[in-house]
Amino acid sequence: MPSMVQSDIAANLARVERRISEACAGTGRRRDEITLVAVSKTRSAEQIRSAYRCGLRHFGENRIEEAETKVPELRTDFADDPATWHMVGHVQSRKAKRAATLADVIHSVDSLRLARRLDRFAAQTGKRLPILIEVNVSGEASKYGYPAWDATTTAAFVSQAREFEALTHLQILGLMTMAPIVANPELARPVFRQLVCVRDALRDQAPFSAWSELSMGMTDDFEVAIEEGATMVRIGRAIFGPRPHQEEGF
Ligand SMILES: *Cc1c(COP(=O)(O)O)cnc(C)c1O
């Protein structure tokens, strides 16, 4: 029954909003500094419509194939008051065109090769595509993203970052990271702090001063991420409930 689904989502969303507000209040931040991206992977179009009716306007998907089955239809449904579609999962370079066509923002740009392809397709559509660069700040081998977990790797990333500035059809909003899955959210805090350090290392260099967004924090650790400076939190389970099939690492 869709109405039950919607009331569950409404109650969950109210709890998430309260938690976001408390994290903001605790650190003197304003709620409007933070974009709540509802991660809708594995959810049906009907569930996403319910979430939209609860007021959500930012949705995140992590697989191109799945997004292609939902996003075009929902864009039509939401035409009067459009939602913003975020691609938050790994994008293979050969799927760059599909990603650039589907998404309004891509959080997970983890190579120059992918960025160059996205830039080329964005040029064809005549738009500037907003992206974030994914950074691996934890050092976990399983993670995607540019290595930037210590001074040496961060310096190497900062010098590489110049190459992104040449891609004029991309609008680089900032940095994204995936924290390790940990039982205690406090254990993710140093990872979020490290992303802030990388952003600050870039900020000191003039061309990167606009890279201000920090996409970090998920269901289990978003308060800590907000305390550390997140401007985009990507939240799935706390809004939609447990996923039908929990995927490893996601
Ligand atoms: C699934 C996913 C999320 C949301 O995870 P939850 O634990 O459900 O909040 C955030 N970011 C990425 C990249 C994801 O794949």
Side-chain angles (χ1 to χ4, degrees):
M1 254 165 53
S3 58
M4 281 189 65
V5 172
Q6 182 157 352
S7 66
D8 290 345
I9 294 173
N12 287 346
L13 179 59
R15 263 191 297 274
V16 167
E17 278 296 344
R18 196 171 331 114
R19 289 169 60 187
I20 292 175
S21 295
E22 281 168 13
C24 285
T27 44
R29 300 191 64 199
R30 293 194 325 266
R31 171 64 185 87
D32 66 6
E33 293 171 25
I34 292 141
T35 302
L36 169 56
V37 179
V39 177
S40 51
K41 67 188 186 201
T42 77
R43 315 300 175 173
S44 67
E46 194 43 48
Q47 283 175 299
I48 300 171
R49 279 190 204 97
S50 296
Y52 179 90
R53 285 192 293 267
C54 293
L56 287 163
R57 290 294 179 272
H58 291 266
F59 295 100
E61 290 285 333
N62 76 329
R63 292 219 166 91
I64 305 280
E65 290 75 10
E66 183 187 340
E68 282 174 338
T69 68
K70 298 187 288 190
V71 176
E73 168 195 343
L74 291 168
R75 270 196 202 280
T76 308
D77 292 355
F78 302 161
D80 289 344
D81 185 2
T84 301
W85 293 93
H86 301 251
M87 179 54 61
V88 299
H90 178 64
V91 178
Q92 292 167 275
S93 293
R94 64 187 172 83
K95 295 182 186 166
K97 183 174 190 173
R98 290 158 70 187
T101 308
L102 261 182
D104 300 305
V105 186
I106 301 180
H107 288 231
S108 39
V109 177
D110 56 6
S111 72
L112 205 48
R113 178 182 153 83
L114 172 62
R116 288 195 173 119
R117 288 179 66 93
L118 291 171
D119 182 66
R120 192 142 49 85
F121 295 121
Q124 286 169 13
T125 63
K127 63 176 183 180
R128 218 163 155 223
L129 180 69
I131 65 150
L132 292 96
I133 300 175
E134 183 168 357
V135 175
N136 176 352
V137 284
S138 66
E140 279 182 292
S142 62
K143 289 269 186 285
Y144 291 109
Y146 277 92
W149 49 75
D150 59 12
T152 310
T153 50
T154 300
F157 171 64
V158 170
S159 59
Q160 276 250 343
R162 302 198 165 279
E163 312 250 2
F164 283 89
E165 278 293 324
L167 305 173
T168 54
H169 296 96
L170 301 182
Q171 181 190 2
I172 299 157
L173 302 180
L175 305 176
M176 176 271 212
T177 203
M178 297 274 294
I181 312 278
V182 286
N184 174 356
E186 278 304 321
L187 298 175
R189 192 181 294 277
V191 171
F192 298 141
R193 285 209 173 139
Q194 177 62 13
L195 194 68
V196 174
C197 285
V198 177
R199 195 265 320 270
D200 291 348
L202 286 165
R203 255 195 182 167
D204 294 342
Q205 321 239 352
F208 308 122
S209 54
W211 298 16
S212 55
E213 300 281 348
L214 292 174
S215 169
M216 58 187 197
M218 319 199 320
T219 286
D220 294 324
D221 55 22
F222 67 86
E223 285 115 320
V224 173
I226 289 170
E227 286 163 14
E228 295 303 329
T231 64
M232 295 174 155
V233 288
R234 310 179 308 264
I235 302 181
R237 288 168 298 134
I239 295 171
F240 292 103
R243 271 186 289 281
H245 306 286
Q246 288 287 355
E247 309 143 71
E248 182 66 24
F250 291 96

